[in-house]
Amino acid sequence: MGAKGKIALGVVVSVVVIGAVSANAGDDGDSGSVGKGKDSAASAERGSGTKSDTKSGTKSGTKSGADTKKDAKAGKAEKKAAFQGDGDFEVGTDVKPGTYRTTGNTDSLCYWERAKDASGEMDSILANDNVSGTSYVTIPAGDKLFKSSGCKDWEAVDAKATGTPAALVKGDGGMHRVGVDIAPGTYRSTGNTDDLCYWERTKDASHSLESILANNNVSGTAVVTVAAGDAYFKTTGCKDWKKTG
């Protein structure tokens, strides 16, 4: 279980959820309901100033003020990682319940899984996904294990975090947090083929079927309105989305 490239269970492909629940459901989706699988992914680059930064200035033997500042920033960035992108983590022991994010993943090589026990059986999977770009996942206290394979390190998400919402997002960027990563509004993606473009509006990051407000597989042009009350917008296999209204 948890191998790279594993097929995500319960992926809503070629299925359209008809009838949005409520545009006001959830503020940032960090409460996370437990349910039978769905998938997830996303964008947003994480500045992971890491090992290379700590080595700057070693040749001269003396670090400049600028180098010192870089190293300080690098240290802060490293502390943001809550746990690594590879391994099995016991909820409550290795990882605290909460919402986490991984960014910078490519080619769907990142696989994560929420499990209700450590049996390793298919029935133990609560939700999972293969990720390109960014994924947000809420791990409830009731989960037993969180598995991650081939992913970038996971960082804790601050429910009160703010950002500069984008009006143009990558079509294969994964999950975008509404109001932080992506601005509410109407978006358009053109040039999609063979129903490979999949988008989804959700009320939280539990990745259960119940969290989906609306979704679709698209060929050609796709138009979707991301409401201010939505928690996340997920996009995979699509051309880039541009805000039109």
Side-chain angles (χ1 to χ4, degrees):
M1 300 295 290
K4 293 182 181 179
K6 176 179 286 187
I7 298 175
L9 301 180
V11 177
V12 182
V13 177
S14 299
V15 175
V16 179
V17 176
I18 300 176
V21 179
S22 168
N24 296 317
D27 52 358
D28 63 1
D30 291 349
S31 58
S33 61
V34 178
K36 284 282 182 181
K38 242 248 32 96
D39 67 331
S40 77
S43 85
E45 289 293 327
R46 177 165 66 94
S48 67
T50 52
K51 300 178 181 177
S52 62
D53 291 332
T54 60
K55 296 179 181 179
S56 62
T58 54
K59 289 185 178 180
S60 64
T62 305
K63 295 185 180 182
S64 66
D67 289 332
T68 303
K69 290 182 179 179
K70 284 183 179 179
D71 291 345
K73 290 181 179 179
K76 290 182 179 179
E78 287 182 9
K79 291 180 181 179
K80 287 184 178 180
F83 55 95
Q84 297 178 339
D86 286 294
D88 293 352
F89 306 93
E90 289 191 86
V91 180
T93 302
D94 302 318
V95 57
K96 296 179 180 179
T99 298
Y100 297 88
R101 181 181 74 163
T102 177
T103 67
N105 301 288
T106 58
D107 302 324
S108 296
L109 294 179
C110 164
Y111 172 81
W112 64 259
E113 176 183 309
R114 289 175 47 220
K116 63 182 179 182
D117 56 47
S119 68
E121 298 177 359
M122 299 293 281
D123 288 344
S124 71
I125 301 176
L126 297 169
N128 66 349
D129 194 22
N130 289 106
V131 178
S132 282
T134 299
S135 185
Y136 288 86
V137 183
T138 294
I139 304 174
D143 287 8
K144 176 64 176 180
L145 283 179
F146 183 78
K147 302 183 178 184
S148 179
S149 177
C151 301
K152 300 295 185 181
D153 290 350
W154 294 83
E155 60 184 9
V157 174
D158 183 353
K160 298 180 180 180
T162 59
T164 303
L168 177 67
V169 295
K170 292 182 178 180
D172 201 33
M175 288 180 78
H176 305 272
R177 190 174 175 186
V178 179
V180 178
D181 304 325
I182 182 175
T186 298
Y187 289 80
R188 181 185 180 93
S189 172
T190 61
N192 299 293
T193 59
D194 302 323
D195 284 334
L196 295 179
C197 168
Y198 174 79
W199 64 259
E200 177 180 299
R201 295 169 47 224
T202 69
K203 62 181 179 181
D204 57 45
S206 70
H207 298 272
S208 66
L209 291 174
E210 292 78 10
S211 74
I212 302 174
L213 296 170
N215 67 348
N216 201 5
N217 287 98
V218 181
S219 281
T221 299
V223 178
V224 59
T225 296
V226 178
D230 293 354
Y232 300 92
F233 176 70
K234 176 183 176 181
T235 171
T236 179
C238 302
K239 299 297 183 181
D240 292 350
W241 295 86
K242 183 178 181 180
K243 190 171 184 291
T244 60

